[in-house]
Amino acid sequence: RDLVAQKAAAMASMAKAAARKSEAEALLEKKLASQQAAKAKQAKLTPKPVEFICALDMKGQSALGVEVDWVDGRSLYVKGVFNGAVQEWNRLRPPEYAVCPGSRILAVNGYADNSEVMASLCRELCASQGMLQLRVRGPPLPPPDEAAEKRSSDRSRSPERDPPKKAKKDKDKDKERDKEKSKDKEREKDKDKERDKAKGKEKEKDKDKDKDKDKDKDKD
C-alpha cells in the first residue's frame, strides 16, 4: 500500500511539473509571437528610403562637392555636401531627391559594389568634366508619426518669429557662387595680362635681334 501511494504521489508530482512546463512554454511562445508582430508592424510603418538617379554634367563645374566614406566597401556614404555640382543639383530639386548627409551612393555610371572604384571614377569624370550618373539612396526616413508631428510643428510656427531660413541660405549660396565666378574672372584677367606681357617681351626680343642684324649689315 505504501509503495502504491508513493508511486501515485510521484506521478502526480510529475504531472504538475509537466503542466507548469507547458504553461511556461506557452507563455514564452506567446511573448515571441507578440514581439514578431510588433516588429512586422514597425517595418510596415517605417517608410523605405527613396532611391533616385542624380545626373550631373561636370562641364563648368570645379568640384563634385561631397565628402564621402567607403568603409563598407560597397557604397559611398555621404558625410557632407559643399559648394559644387551636387549642391547645385540639390538647389533645383525637392528635398526627397536631394543628396544630403546620410545618403548613400550605390552606383556611379553603372559601376556598383566597389566603393574604391566608384570613388576613383568620380574623380576621373570630375577632372575630365564628363557626365556623372549617381544612383543614390536617401537617408532613413522618420516614422509617419514623427514626420506628421514635425510638419504640424512647422505649420504652427509664426513667420514673424521664425523667418524663412531656407531663402536666406539660398541667397548666401548665390552670393558665394557670384564671388567664385568673379574670382575666376579675375584669375582669367591676370592670366591674360601675363600672356600679353610675355608676348610683349617676345616682341622686344625680336626687335633687338632685328637691330643687331641691321648693325651687322652696316658694318659689312
Side-chain angles (χ1 to χ4, degrees), residues 91-111:
R91 194 174 68 84
L92 302 172
R93 300 298 184 288
E96 60 268 25
Y97 294 107
V99 182
C100 55
S103 301
R104 283 190 181 275
I105 299 172
L106 306 177
V108 178
N109 286 23
Y111 289 91

mmCIF file with all atom_site columns, all heavy atoms in Angstrom, residues 91-111:
data_model
loop_
_atom_site.group_PDB
_atom_site.id
_atom_site.type_symbol
_atom_site.label_atom_id
_atom_site.label_alt_id
_atom_site.label_comp_id
_atom_site.label_asym_id
_atom_site.label_entity_id
_atom_site.label_seq_id
_atom_site.pdbx_PDB_ins_code
_atom_site.Cartn_x
_atom_site.Cartn_y
_atom_site.Cartn_z
_atom_site.occupancy
_atom_site.B_iso_or_equiv
_atom_site.pdbx_formal_charge
_atom_site.auth_seq_id
_atom_site.auth_comp_id
_atom_site.auth_asym_id
_atom_site.auth_atom_id
_atom_site.pdbx_PDB_model_num
ATOM 1   N N   . ARG A 1 91  ? 19.771 72.293 -55.075 1.00 0.00 ? 91  ARG A N   1
ATOM 2   C CA  . ARG A 1 91  ? 19.065 73.585 -55.091 1.00 0.00 ? 91  ARG A CA  1
ATOM 3   C C   . ARG A 1 91  ? 17.856 73.559 -56.021 1.00 0.00 ? 91  ARG A C   1
ATOM 4   O O   . ARG A 1 91  ? 16.871 74.262 -55.790 1.00 0.00 ? 91  ARG A O   1
ATOM 5   C CB  . ARG A 1 91  ? 20.033 74.694 -55.533 1.00 0.00 ? 91  ARG A CB  1
ATOM 6   C CG  . ARG A 1 91  ? 19.532 76.098 -55.279 1.00 0.00 ? 91  ARG A CG  1
ATOM 7   C CD  . ARG A 1 91  ? 20.605 77.112 -55.606 1.00 0.00 ? 91  ARG A CD  1
ATOM 8   N NE  . ARG A 1 91  ? 20.894 77.160 -57.023 1.00 0.00 ? 91  ARG A NE  1
ATOM 9   C CZ  . ARG A 1 91  ? 20.193 77.879 -57.912 1.00 0.00 ? 91  ARG A CZ  1
ATOM 10  N NH1 . ARG A 1 91  ? 19.172 78.616 -57.517 1.00 0.00 ? 91  ARG A NH1 1
ATOM 11  N NH2 . ARG A 1 91  ? 20.521 77.879 -59.183 1.00 0.00 ? 91  ARG A NH2 1
ATOM 12  N N   . LEU A 1 92  ? 17.914 72.718 -57.060 1.00 0.00 ? 92  LEU A N   1
ATOM 13  C CA  . LEU A 1 92  ? 16.852 72.678 -58.060 1.00 0.00 ? 92  LEU A CA  1
ATOM 14  C C   . LEU A 1 92  ? 15.908 71.493 -57.883 1.00 0.00 ? 92  LEU A C   1
ATOM 15  O O   . LEU A 1 92  ? 15.045 71.259 -58.733 1.00 0.00 ? 92  LEU A O   1
ATOM 16  C CB  . LEU A 1 92  ? 17.473 72.628 -59.470 1.00 0.00 ? 92  LEU A CB  1
ATOM 17  C CG  . LEU A 1 92  ? 18.404 73.789 -59.833 1.00 0.00 ? 92  LEU A CG  1
ATOM 18  C CD1 . LEU A 1 92  ? 19.097 73.516 -61.161 1.00 0.00 ? 92  LEU A CD1 1
ATOM 19  C CD2 . LEU A 1 92  ? 17.634 75.099 -59.890 1.00 0.00 ? 92  LEU A CD2 1
ATOM 20  N N   . ARG A 1 93  ? 16.066 70.724 -56.801 1.00 0.00 ? 93  ARG A N   1
ATOM 21  C CA  . ARG A 1 93  ? 15.251 69.526 -56.613 1.00 0.00 ? 93  ARG A CA  1
ATOM 22  C C   . ARG A 1 93  ? 14.496 69.579 -55.288 1.00 0.00 ? 93  ARG A C   1
ATOM 23  O O   . ARG A 1 93  ? 14.906 70.260 -54.355 1.00 0.00 ? 93  ARG A O   1
ATOM 24  C CB  . ARG A 1 93  ? 16.132 68.260 -56.623 1.00 0.00 ? 93  ARG A CB  1
ATOM 25  C CG  . ARG A 1 93  ? 16.926 68.012 -57.895 1.00 0.00 ? 93  ARG A CG  1
ATOM 26  C CD  . ARG A 1 93  ? 16.075 67.804 -59.105 1.00 0.00 ? 93  ARG A CD  1
ATOM 27  N NE  . ARG A 1 93  ? 16.780 67.487 -60.320 1.00 0.00 ? 93  ARG A NE  1
ATOM 28  C CZ  . ARG A 1 93  ? 17.523 68.309 -61.043 1.00 0.00 ? 93  ARG A CZ  1
ATOM 29  N NH1 . ARG A 1 93  ? 17.735 69.539 -60.624 1.00 0.00 ? 93  ARG A NH1 1
ATOM 30  N NH2 . ARG A 1 93  ? 18.074 67.926 -62.175 1.00 0.00 ? 93  ARG A NH2 1
ATOM 31  N N   . PRO A 1 94  ? 13.373 68.815 -55.196 1.00 0.00 ? 94  PRO A N   1
ATOM 32  C CA  . PRO A 1 94  ? 12.664 68.718 -53.906 1.00 0.00 ? 94  PRO A CA  1
ATOM 33  C C   . PRO A 1 94  ? 13.517 67.977 -52.885 1.00 0.00 ? 94  PRO A C   1
ATOM 34  O O   . PRO A 1 94  ? 14.432 67.235 -53.256 1.00 0.00 ? 94  PRO A O   1
ATOM 35  C CB  . PRO A 1 94  ? 11.394 67.925 -54.266 1.00 0.00 ? 94  PRO A CB  1
ATOM 36  C CG  . PRO A 1 94  ? 11.710 67.211 -55.537 1.00 0.00 ? 94  PRO A CG  1
ATOM 37  C CD  . PRO A 1 94  ? 12.692 68.066 -56.280 1.00 0.00 ? 94  PRO A CD  1
ATOM 38  N N   . PRO A 1 95  ? 13.223 68.154 -51.591 1.00 0.00 ? 95  PRO A N   1
ATOM 39  C CA  . PRO A 1 95  ? 14.081 67.570 -50.540 1.00 0.00 ? 95  PRO A CA  1
ATOM 40  C C   . PRO A 1 95  ? 14.257 66.066 -50.644 1.00 0.00 ? 95  PRO A C   1
ATOM 41  O O   . PRO A 1 95  ? 15.327 65.541 -50.337 1.00 0.00 ? 95  PRO A O   1
ATOM 42  C CB  . PRO A 1 95  ? 13.348 67.947 -49.241 1.00 0.00 ? 95  PRO A CB  1
ATOM 43  C CG  . PRO A 1 95  ? 12.523 69.135 -49.585 1.00 0.00 ? 95  PRO A CG  1
ATOM 44  C CD  . PRO A 1 95  ? 12.139 68.978 -51.021 1.00 0.00 ? 95  PRO A CD  1
ATOM 45  N N   . GLU A 1 96  ? 13.203 65.332 -51.087 1.00 0.00 ? 96  GLU A N   1
ATOM 46  C CA  . GLU A 1 96  ? 13.324 63.870 -51.132 1.00 0.00 ? 96  GLU A CA  1
ATOM 47  C C   . GLU A 1 96  ? 14.280 63.399 -52.219 1.00 0.00 ? 96  GLU A C   1
ATOM 48  O O   . GLU A 1 96  ? 14.731 62.243 -52.206 1.00 0.00 ? 96  GLU A O   1
ATOM 49  C CB  . GLU A 1 96  ? 11.958 63.207 -51.318 1.00 0.00 ? 96  GLU A CB  1
ATOM 50  C CG  . GLU A 1 96  ? 11.222 63.591 -52.579 1.00 0.00 ? 96  GLU A CG  1
ATOM 51  C CD  . GLU A 1 96  ? 10.285 64.775 -52.357 1.00 0.00 ? 96  GLU A CD  1
ATOM 52  O OE1 . GLU A 1 96  ? 10.532 65.565 -51.428 1.00 0.00 ? 96  GLU A OE1 1
ATOM 53  O OE2 . GLU A 1 96  ? 9.319  64.894 -53.127 1.00 0.00 ? 96  GLU A OE2 1
ATOM 54  N N   . TYR A 1 97  ? 14.617 64.274 -53.185 1.00 0.00 ? 97  TYR A N   1
ATOM 55  C CA  . TYR A 1 97  ? 15.569 63.919 -54.243 1.00 0.00 ? 97  TYR A CA  1
ATOM 56  C C   . TYR A 1 97  ? 16.886 64.692 -54.098 1.00 0.00 ? 97  TYR A C   1
ATOM 57  O O   . TYR A 1 97  ? 17.589 64.888 -55.080 1.00 0.00 ? 97  TYR A O   1
ATOM 58  C CB  . TYR A 1 97  ? 14.950 64.161 -55.617 1.00 0.00 ? 97  TYR A CB  1
ATOM 59  C CG  . TYR A 1 97  ? 13.796 63.251 -55.923 1.00 0.00 ? 97  TYR A CG  1
ATOM 60  C CD1 . TYR A 1 97  ? 12.495 63.717 -55.921 1.00 0.00 ? 97  TYR A CD1 1
ATOM 61  C CD2 . TYR A 1 97  ? 14.006 61.900 -56.171 1.00 0.00 ? 97  TYR A CD2 1
ATOM 62  C CE1 . TYR A 1 97  ? 11.426 62.870 -56.175 1.00 0.00 ? 97  TYR A CE1 1
ATOM 63  C CE2 . TYR A 1 97  ? 12.950 61.048 -56.422 1.00 0.00 ? 97  TYR A CE2 1
ATOM 64  C CZ  . TYR A 1 97  ? 11.656 61.538 -56.425 1.00 0.00 ? 97  TYR A CZ  1
ATOM 65  O OH  . TYR A 1 97  ? 10.612 60.694 -56.669 1.00 0.00 ? 97  TYR A OH  1
ATOM 66  N N   . ALA A 1 98  ? 17.186 65.112 -52.879 1.00 0.00 ? 98  ALA A N   1
ATOM 67  C CA  . ALA A 1 98  ? 18.433 65.831 -52.615 1.00 0.00 ? 98  ALA A CA  1
ATOM 68  C C   . ALA A 1 98  ? 19.477 64.857 -52.075 1.00 0.00 ? 98  ALA A C   1
ATOM 69  O O   . ALA A 1 98  ? 19.159 63.929 -51.327 1.00 0.00 ? 98  ALA A O   1
ATOM 70  C CB  . ALA A 1 98  ? 18.201 66.952 -51.613 1.00 0.00 ? 98  ALA A CB  1
ATOM 71  N N   . VAL A 1 99  ? 20.724 65.074 -52.475 1.00 0.00 ? 99  VAL A N   1
ATOM 72  C CA  . VAL A 1 99  ? 21.849 64.289 -51.942 1.00 0.00 ? 99  VAL A CA  1
ATOM 73  C C   . VAL A 1 99  ? 22.332 65.014 -50.688 1.00 0.00 ? 99  VAL A C   1
ATOM 74  O O   . VAL A 1 99  ? 22.849 66.127 -50.772 1.00 0.00 ? 99  VAL A O   1
ATOM 75  C CB  . VAL A 1 99  ? 22.992 64.173 -52.973 1.00 0.00 ? 99  VAL A CB  1
ATOM 76  C CG1 . VAL A 1 99  ? 24.116 63.314 -52.417 1.00 0.00 ? 99  VAL A CG1 1
ATOM 77  C CG2 . VAL A 1 99  ? 22.480 63.590 -54.286 1.00 0.00 ? 99  VAL A CG2 1
ATOM 78  N N   . CYS A 1 100 ? 22.148 64.404 -49.531 1.00 0.00 ? 100 CYS A N   1
ATOM 79  C CA  . CYS A 1 100 ? 22.453 65.073 -48.267 1.00 0.00 ? 100 CYS A CA  1
ATOM 80  C C   . CYS A 1 100 ? 23.218 64.125 -47.342 1.00 0.00 ? 100 CYS A C   1
ATOM 81  O O   . CYS A 1 100 ? 23.326 62.923 -47.622 1.00 0.00 ? 100 CYS A O   1
ATOM 82  C CB  . CYS A 1 100 ? 21.153 65.551 -47.608 1.00 0.00 ? 100 CYS A CB  1
ATOM 83  S SG  . CYS A 1 100 ? 19.952 64.225 -47.379 1.00 0.00 ? 100 CYS A SG  1
ATOM 84  N N   . PRO A 1 101 ? 23.781 64.654 -46.247 1.00 0.00 ? 101 PRO A N   1
ATOM 85  C CA  . PRO A 1 101 ? 24.466 63.781 -45.298 1.00 0.00 ? 101 PRO A CA  1
ATOM 86  C C   . PRO A 1 101 ? 23.552 62.650 -44.841 1.00 0.00 ? 101 PRO A C   1
ATOM 87  O O   . PRO A 1 101 ? 22.400 62.874 -44.483 1.00 0.00 ? 101 PRO A O   1
ATOM 88  C CB  . PRO A 1 101 ? 24.813 64.727 -44.146 1.00 0.00 ? 101 PRO A CB  1
ATOM 89  C CG  . PRO A 1 101 ? 24.937 66.062 -44.787 1.00 0.00 ? 101 PRO A CG  1
ATOM 90  C CD  . PRO A 1 101 ? 23.903 66.084 -45.879 1.00 0.00 ? 101 PRO A CD  1
ATOM 91  N N   . GLY A 1 102 ? 24.082 61.429 -44.870 1.00 0.00 ? 102 GLY A N   1
ATOM 92  C CA  . GLY A 1 102 ? 23.270 60.260 -44.545 1.00 0.00 ? 102 GLY A CA  1
ATOM 93  C C   . GLY A 1 102 ? 22.852 59.482 -45.777 1.00 0.00 ? 102 GLY A C   1
ATOM 94  O O   . GLY A 1 102 ? 22.449 58.315 -45.666 1.00 0.00 ? 102 GLY A O   1
ATOM 95  N N   . SER A 1 103 ? 22.928 60.109 -46.966 1.00 0.00 ? 103 SER A N   1
ATOM 96  C CA  . SER A 1 103 ? 22.619 59.395 -48.205 1.00 0.00 ? 103 SER A CA  1
ATOM 97  C C   . SER A 1 103 ? 23.753 58.430 -48.549 1.00 0.00 ? 103 SER A C   1
ATOM 98  O O   . SER A 1 103 ? 24.866 58.564 -48.060 1.00 0.00 ? 103 SER A O   1
ATOM 99  C CB  . SER A 1 103 ? 22.431 60.388 -49.360 1.00 0.00 ? 103 SER A CB  1
ATOM 100 O OG  . SER A 1 103 ? 21.393 61.299 -49.097 1.00 0.00 ? 103 SER A OG  1
ATOM 101 N N   . ARG A 1 104 ? 23.427 57.471 -49.419 1.00 0.00 ? 104 ARG A N   1
ATOM 102 C CA  . ARG A 1 104 ? 24.444 56.527 -49.893 1.00 0.00 ? 104 ARG A CA  1
ATOM 103 C C   . ARG A 1 104 ? 24.441 56.512 -51.412 1.00 0.00 ? 104 ARG A C   1
ATOM 104 O O   . ARG A 1 104 ? 23.382 56.413 -52.033 1.00 0.00 ? 104 ARG A O   1
ATOM 105 C CB  . ARG A 1 104 ? 24.178 55.107 -49.380 1.00 0.00 ? 104 ARG A CB  1
ATOM 106 C CG  . ARG A 1 104 ? 24.564 54.916 -47.943 1.00 0.00 ? 104 ARG A CG  1
ATOM 107 C CD  . ARG A 1 104 ? 24.521 53.448 -47.543 1.00 0.00 ? 104 ARG A CD  1
ATOM 108 N NE  . ARG A 1 104 ? 24.868 53.296 -46.148 1.00 0.00 ? 104 ARG A NE  1
ATOM 109 C CZ  . ARG A 1 104 ? 26.105 53.195 -45.674 1.00 0.00 ? 104 ARG A CZ  1
ATOM 110 N NH1 . ARG A 1 104 ? 27.119 53.228 -46.511 1.00 0.00 ? 104 ARG A NH1 1
ATOM 111 N NH2 . ARG A 1 104 ? 26.342 53.068 -44.386 1.00 0.00 ? 104 ARG A NH2 1
ATOM 112 N N   . ILE A 1 105 ? 25.630 56.633 -52.013 1.00 0.00 ? 105 ILE A N   1
ATOM 113 C CA  . ILE A 1 105 ? 25.788 56.487 -53.466 1.00 0.00 ? 105 ILE A CA  1
ATOM 114 C C   . ILE A 1 105 ? 26.032 55.001 -53.725 1.00 0.00 ? 105 ILE A C   1
ATOM 115 O O   . ILE A 1 105 ? 27.050 54.445 -53.328 1.00 0.00 ? 105 ILE A O   1
ATOM 116 C CB  . ILE A 1 105 ? 26.952 57.348 -53.981 1.00 0.00 ? 105 ILE A CB  1
ATOM 117 C CG1 . ILE A 1 105 ? 26.671 58.831 -53.683 1.00 0.00 ? 105 ILE A CG1 1
ATOM 118 C CG2 . ILE A 1 105 ? 27.159 57.144 -55.473 1.00 0.00 ? 105 ILE A CG2 1
ATOM 119 C CD1 . ILE A 1 105 ? 27.833 59.752 -53.982 1.00 0.00 ? 105 ILE A CD1 1
ATOM 120 N N   . LEU A 1 106 ? 25.061 54.356 -54.389 1.00 0.00 ? 106 LEU A N   1
ATOM 121 C CA  . LEU A 1 106 ? 25.103 52.910 -54.600 1.00 0.00 ? 106 LEU A CA  1
ATOM 122 C C   . LEU A 1 106 ? 25.806 52.527 -55.892 1.00 0.00 ? 106 LEU A C   1
ATOM 123 O O   . LEU A 1 106 ? 26.321 51.413 -56.018 1.00 0.00 ? 106 LEU A O   1
ATOM 124 C CB  . LEU A 1 106 ? 23.682 52.342 -54.611 1.00 0.00 ? 106 LEU A CB  1
ATOM 125 C CG  . LEU A 1 106 ? 22.818 52.667 -53.385 1.00 0.00 ? 106 LEU A CG  1
ATOM 126 C CD1 . LEU A 1 106 ? 21.424 52.108 -53.572 1.00 0.00 ? 106 LEU A CD1 1
ATOM 127 C CD2 . LEU A 1 106 ? 23.445 52.121 -52.117 1.00 0.00 ? 106 LEU A CD2 1
ATOM 128 N N   . ALA A 1 107 ? 25.809 53.428 -56.885 1.00 0.00 ? 107 ALA A N   1
ATOM 129 C CA  . ALA A 1 107 ? 26.446 53.133 -58.171 1.00 0.00 ? 107 ALA A CA  1
ATOM 130 C C   . ALA A 1 107 ? 26.864 54.432 -58.841 1.00 0.00 ? 107 ALA A C   1
ATOM 131 O O   . ALA A 1 107 ? 26.241 55.474 -58.658 1.00 0.00 ? 107 ALA A O   1
ATOM 132 C CB  . ALA A 1 107 ? 25.499 52.354 -59.084 1.00 0.00 ? 107 ALA A CB  1
ATOM 133 N N   . VAL A 1 108 ? 27.939 54.368 -59.631 1.00 0.00 ? 108 VAL A N   1
ATOM 134 C CA  . VAL A 1 108 ? 28.445 55.505 -60.398 1.00 0.00 ? 108 VAL A CA  1
ATOM 135 C C   . VAL A 1 108 ? 28.548 55.076 -61.854 1.00 0.00 ? 108 VAL A C   1
ATOM 136 O O   . VAL A 1 108 ? 29.352 54.192 -62.194 1.00 0.00 ? 108 VAL A O   1
ATOM 137 C CB  . VAL A 1 108 ? 29.821 55.976 -59.872 1.00 0.00 ? 108 VAL A CB  1
ATOM 138 C CG1 . VAL A 1 108 ? 30.339 57.127 -60.727 1.00 0.00 ? 108 VAL A CG1 1
ATOM 139 C CG2 . VAL A 1 108 ? 29.726 56.401 -58.420 1.00 0.00 ? 108 VAL A CG2 1
ATOM 140 N N   . ASN A 1 109 ? 27.704 55.659 -62.703 1.00 0.00 ? 109 ASN A N   1
ATOM 141 C CA  . ASN A 1 109 ? 27.675 55.304 -64.138 1.00 0.00 ? 109 ASN A CA  1
ATOM 142 C C   . ASN A 1 109 ? 27.564 53.791 -64.353 1.00 0.00 ? 109 ASN A C   1
ATOM 143 O O   . ASN A 1 109 ? 28.222 53.219 -65.216 1.00 0.00 ? 109 ASN A O   1
ATOM 144 C CB  . ASN A 1 109 ? 28.908 55.852 -64.861 1.00 0.00 ? 109 ASN A CB  1
ATOM 145 C CG  . ASN A 1 109 ? 28.828 57.352 -65.056 1.00 0.00 ? 109 ASN A CG  1
ATOM 146 O OD1 . ASN A 1 109 ? 28.125 58.037 -64.333 1.00 0.00 ? 109 ASN A OD1 1
ATOM 147 N ND2 . ASN A 1 109 ? 29.525 57.874 -66.025 1.00 0.00 ? 109 ASN A ND2 1
ATOM 148 N N   . GLY A 1 110 ? 26.749 53.151 -63.517 1.00 0.00 ? 110 GLY A N   1
ATOM 149 C CA  . GLY A 1 110 ? 26.513 51.719 -63.654 1.00 0.00 ? 110 GLY A CA  1
ATOM 150 C C   . GLY A 1 110 ? 27.453 50.835 -62.853 1.00 0.00 ? 110 GLY A C   1
ATOM 151 O O   . GLY A 1 110 ? 27.191 49.650 -62.684 1.00 0.00 ? 110 GLY A O   1
ATOM 152 N N   . TYR A 1 111 ? 28.568 51.381 -62.345 1.00 0.00 ? 111 TYR A N   1
ATOM 153 C CA  . TYR A 1 111 ? 29.513 50.592 -61.548 1.00 0.00 ? 111 TYR A CA  1
ATOM 154 C C   . TYR A 1 111 ? 29.045 50.574 -60.085 1.00 0.00 ? 111 TYR A C   1
ATOM 155 O O   . TYR A 1 111 ? 28.790 51.628 -59.506 1.00 0.00 ? 111 TYR A O   1
ATOM 156 C CB  . TYR A 1 111 ? 30.922 51.170 -61.628 1.00 0.00 ? 111 TYR A CB  1
ATOM 157 C CG  . TYR A 1 111 ? 31.574 50.973 -62.977 1.00 0.00 ? 111 TYR A CG  1
ATOM 158 C CD1 . TYR A 1 111 ? 31.456 51.937 -63.968 1.00 0.00 ? 111 TYR A CD1 1
ATOM 159 C CD2 . TYR A 1 111 ? 32.290 49.816 -63.266 1.00 0.00 ? 111 TYR A CD2 1
ATOM 160 C CE1 . TYR A 1 111 ? 32.039 51.766 -65.215 1.00 0.00 ? 111 TYR A CE1 1
ATOM 161 C CE2 . TYR A 1 111 ? 32.880 49.632 -64.513 1.00 0.00 ? 111 TYR A CE2 1
ATOM 162 C CZ  . TYR A 1 111 ? 32.743 50.613 -65.482 1.00 0.00 ? 111 TYR A CZ  1
ATOM 163 O OH  . TYR A 1 111 ? 33.323 50.435 -66.708 1.00 0.00 ? 111 TYR A OH  1
#
